[in-house]
Amino acid sequence: MYKKKIAVIGGGSWATANVKMLVDNTTEKEVFWWMRNAEAVEHLHKFSHNPYYLSSVEIKLPKENISTDLKNLIQVADIVLLNVPAAFLKEALTGITPADLAGKKIVSAIKGIVPDENLIIGEFLNHKYGISFEDFIVISGPCHAEEVALEKLSYLTIASGDAALAAEFAGLINTRYIKTNVSDDIYGTEWGAVLKNVYAIAGGICHGVGYGDNFQAVLISNAIREIERFVDVVHPIDRDIKESAYLGDLLVTAYSQFSRNRTFGNMIGKGYTVTSAQLEMNMVAEGYYAVNCLQQVNKQYKVNMPICDAVYAILYQKRSPVLEMKNLAEKLS
């Protein structure tokens, strides 16, 4: 029986969690892992742990399946799972051509938007590499890598233009601690994942400047309405915004101790500059890039998004977090 070959592209915590899920799933398959950092690859070869992210997780892969040779790994794979920060996706795929990806199923576990292009991942791959939405899959839902490492029960939504493909991939990552459901809403799940990072930054800023849980609840209830307004304009289909891929992902990113976007926002609220917050975190807060891209994209759609506007003003126009949040508070209900 032919075993599906899956290549995971990326070396961060969520990529590490994806590898763990695939390996722990009992369906016959072969998993490959690309990382840019040669030292990390060498460490994995010797000790079976990622030295930089989720280092407690044992990675049960043959040494020859972990490599810095991206072109070779893509060549052998049936399914390519992309999991690098959206801001670095173009750089990571340098040298990869549409011919290299032809005939592959492409999975995005990236919760971000490609800067300069102002495109969500599915659109970017379609425009740049000719990837059909029937061959494209989105992983979304409230699922922090740190809890996957601890094997705490988590739920993922697998979305694709091809329902059978979504169901097939869901079957490759189900485990004792990962439950999945499928969706056909590629645009909504992708945009929801982009937007929730911006709202998590907003929540962090509010906490940093001294607002409490009562205000946070109002902020997030307004945020889900902003998401709904936006995705209903961008891709108007029948969807339930209360499902875990939308509301659930927003909640965990806005409230969790593991949320890097909330942490980043909290630092900004406490007076850190963007640069100093990024340096201290040593991790990418996708919402920082996303809110700038969103500002450009929304010039076309003109959706009323006061929370996103406030975060943009603070991060890119250097407005006072205290004053901007005070102004925002007057617009919420």
Side-chain angles (χ1 to χ4, degrees):
M1 181 181 170
Y2 178 75
K3 291 196 293 188
K4 280 271 165 62
K5 294 180 170 61
I6 305 171
V8 177
I9 310 304
S13 55
W14 187 220
T16 306
N18 286 169
V19 172
K20 175 178 168 57
M21 287 186 278
L22 287 163
V23 172
D24 287 353
N25 172 274
T26 56
T27 307
E28 280 289 308
K29 72 182 89 60
E30 192 168 5
V31 179
F32 298 84
W33 192 6
W34 175 85
M35 303 173 80
R36 176 189 303 281
N37 189 316
E39 288 180 8
V41 169
E42 186 64 27
H43 188 95
L44 274 157
H45 286 169
K46 287 181 181 176
F47 305 111
S48 300
H49 296 272
N50 184 339
Y52 303 115
Y53 301 96
L54 302 189
S55 54
S56 64
V57 174
E58 183 181 2
I59 302 299
K60 303 164 188 171
L61 286 180
K63 290 180 183 178
E64 61 271 18
N65 286 30
I66 307 172
S67 170
T68 58
D69 187 341
L70 179 60
K71 209 172 183 78
N72 183 56
L73 288 195
I74 287 177
Q75 190 174 1
V76 301
D78 304 299
I79 300 171
V80 178
L81 194 163
L82 299 173
N83 201 332
V84 294
F88 307 132
L89 180 60
K90 288 163 75 173
E91 183 186 344
L93 293 178
T94 300
I96 301 303
T97 67
D100 292 322
L101 296 176
K104 314 284 184 187
K105 306 300 182 187
I106 310 297
V107 182
S108 171
I110 302 169
K111 296 186 174 185
I113 187 168
V114 181
D116 303 329
E117 308 287 341
N118 294 334
L119 296 171
I120 51 177
I121 308 305
E123 289 178 322
F124 171 73
L125 294 172
N126 179 260
H127 290 197
K128 174 107 178 180
Y129 294 96
I131 304 298
S132 160
F133 287 104
E134 302 297 311
D135 293 325
F136 178 66
I137 301 166
V138 178
I139 300 178
S140 65
C143 194
H144 280 305
E146 292 82 358
E147 292 202 352
V148 173
L150 297 169
E151 300 188 0
K152 290 186 177 291
L153 184 61
S154 304
Y155 292 70
L156 290 171
T157 296
I158 311 302
S160 177
D162 181 341
L165 178 62
E168 180 189 14
F169 185 77
L172 295 173
I173 60 171
N174 279 324
T175 67
R176 174 178 54 78
Y177 56 89
I178 297 290
K179 294 188 181 298
T180 56
N181 55 65
V182 300
S183 167
D184 63 356
D185 186 14
I186 291 175
Y187 279 86
T189 52
E190 275 222 76
W191 272 115
V194 169
L195 288 163
K196 56 95 182 183
N197 287 328
V198 177
Y199 300 123
I201 290 177
I205 292 171
C206 290
H207 186 266
V209 299
Y211 288 89
D213 292 346
N214 294 345
F215 181 77
Q216 186 89 347
V218 173
L219 179 79
I220 300 309
S221 74
N222 278 264
I224 194 63
R225 285 175 265 161
E226 269 193 32
I227 291 177
E228 186 170 33
R229 286 198 297 271
F230 186 79
V231 296
D232 282 355
V233 169
V234 171
H235 190 59
I237 64 169
D238 183 25
R239 63 171 65 84
D240 183 355
I241 206 72
K242 298 186 295 298
E243 289 179 354
S244 60
Y246 317 100
L247 179 58
D249 204 6
L250 171 64
L251 291 173
V252 79
T253 311
Y255 289 124
S256 174
Q257 61 177 324
F258 297 124
S259 171
R260 63 189 70 175
N261 288 282
R262 178 185 165 84
T263 300
F264 175 76
N266 188 44
M267 293 168 79
I268 297 298
K270 287 183 181 300
Y272 282 71
T273 65
V274 167
T275 304
S276 60
Q278 287 173 326
L279 285 171
E280 186 156 325
M281 283 178 63
N282 195 31
M283 295 175 91
V284 174
E286 289 274 22
Y288 169 70
Y289 301 99
V291 74
N292 185 38
C293 297
L294 183 69
Q295 203 72 13
Q296 314 310 316
V297 171
N298 200 31
K299 287 176 183 175
Q300 173 188 347
Y301 296 111
K302 297 180 171 56
V303 178
N304 179 34
M305 305 183 80
I307 303 173
C308 287
D309 292 342
V311 173
Y312 176 79
I314 292 165
L315 297 183
Y316 287 88
Q317 297 176 328
K318 296 183 168 55
R319 301 269 181 85
S320 159
V322 173
L323 293 178
E324 205 59 41
M325 286 300 151
K326 188 176 180 182
N327 292 337
L328 175 64
E330 298 303 314
K331 300 173 186 174
L332 304 181
S333 61

